[in-house]
Amino acid sequence: MNTHPDILRDLADESIELARVVAKNPSTPPDVLEALSGYEHDLEIQRNVTANPKGAC
C-alpha cells in the first residue's frame, strides 16, 4: 500500500466509500487523516482513522 499521498487526498474527496478506505490505508498522510477525522457523522471513518497507525500521531 504505497499509494502516493496526492492520490489518497483526491480519493478521499471522491466519495464517502473511498474516504473510508483511505482512512484505513497506512500510507495516508497525517494531514489527510486529520481532515477525515472531521467526518463525525460517519462512524466507520472514525474507526478507521483511529485504527490507522498514523492516526494516533
Side-chain angles (χ1 to χ4, degrees):
M1 291 193 182
N2 292 320
T3 308
H4 192 276
D6 290 337
I7 292 173
L8 292 168
R9 284 182 184 90
D10 291 342
L11 289 172
D13 289 337
E14 282 286 317
S15 70
I16 196 75
E17 291 83 9
L18 287 173
R20 291 173 180 149
V21 174
V22 169
K24 64 181 170 180
N25 185 321
S27 297
T28 301
D31 66 302
V32 175
L33 292 172
E34 184 177 345
L36 289 172
S37 71
Y39 284 70
E40 296 175 359
H41 61 281
D42 193 288
L43 294 178
E44 186 174 349
I45 289 177
Q46 292 299 307
R47 281 191 298 267
N48 292 347
V49 168
T50 302
N52 191 307
K54 291 183 181 175
C57 295

